[in-house]
Amino acid sequence: MGREPTAATVREDLHEDLREDLHEDARARRRARAVTWTVLGVIALGALVEAEAWPVTAFRLFSTVRTADGASLRLVVTGTDGVRVTVPMPADAPLAATSHQLAELRDLPTGARREKVVAWLRLAGLDPAAFTSAAVERTAWTMDGETRERHEHGPTTVLAQVTL
């Protein structure tokens, strides 16, 4: 209790402190290695199975070659007078946010298809009662390299048909 520390006890305490510090450093290095190998493993697994697990991988972002050819989908309605009208989907309108669902329309039950088309028509400012049917059409296009304008070509394919 009231003893003076000797050189031997001071040295012993220093060695004990050093051992504890080295043990903590070794534990931190093992933890860092485990985290590093886990992250690298997840990235490698994502690339191997081509899974898009953003933000861990961005495989598809850099693995797709874009060409001047493409295809577009559009919703075309037929009026009671037989006139066909393409439903406008401007990029700044709420309708554009759901336009990616056009391709999924054919997989929905008949009632759900009709509800979705009616909702799209109302968003576009069109009266659903003025139309007898709607169709989702797919058209191929090619972009002009100089003007950056799309030119449609080839046959138009009807992906889904809805009676209104």
Side-chain angles (χ1 to χ4, degrees):
M1 248 175 114
R3 276 202 260 160
E4 251 336 277
T6 64
T9 59
V10 169
R11 200 174 315 120
E12 212 173 279
D13 288 344
L14 283 173
H15 284 291
E16 184 61 34
D17 289 345
L18 264 172
R19 275 192 292 269
E20 286 178 18
D21 288 347
L22 288 174
H23 184 66
E24 286 178 26
D25 286 348
R27 194 173 341 156
R29 282 193 302 274
R30 281 194 303 271
R31 198 172 328 147
R33 282 188 197 113
V35 169
T36 301
W37 285 110
T38 301
V39 168
L40 290 175
V42 168
I43 292 170
L45 181 64
L48 184 66
V49 297
E50 294 185 15
E52 186 62 37
W54 189 90
V56 178
T57 63
F59 182 74
R60 292 188 201 285
L61 180 64
F62 301 106
S63 67
T64 304
V65 176
R66 298 195 179 176
T67 65
D69 297 318
S72 61
L73 298 177
R74 64 179 168 226
L75 182 62
V76 179
V77 289
T78 304
T80 53
D81 56 359
V83 175
R84 292 172 36 93
V85 177
T86 299
V87 177
M89 294 191 187
D92 60 340
L95 187 58
T98 60
S99 63
H100 66 280
Q101 296 177 12
L102 285 172
E104 302 163 5
L105 194 66
R106 69 176 164 203
D107 300 328
L108 295 175
T110 306
R113 278 189 211 181
R114 187 179 185 292
E115 288 176 17
K116 197 165 273 213
V117 169
V118 167
W120 278 327
L121 291 174
R122 287 189 177 131
L123 278 172
L126 300 172
D127 180 16
F131 302 99
T132 58
S133 67
V136 175
E137 297 180 347
R138 180 182 184 276
T139 306
W141 52 261
T142 300
M143 183 178 289
D144 185 306
E146 292 178 19
T147 64
R148 308 257 190 225
E149 291 181 12
R150 291 181 180 183
H151 302 284
E152 294 182 353
H153 61 81
T156 296
T157 307
V158 175
L159 299 180
Q161 190 83 27
V162 178
T163 302
L164 297 173

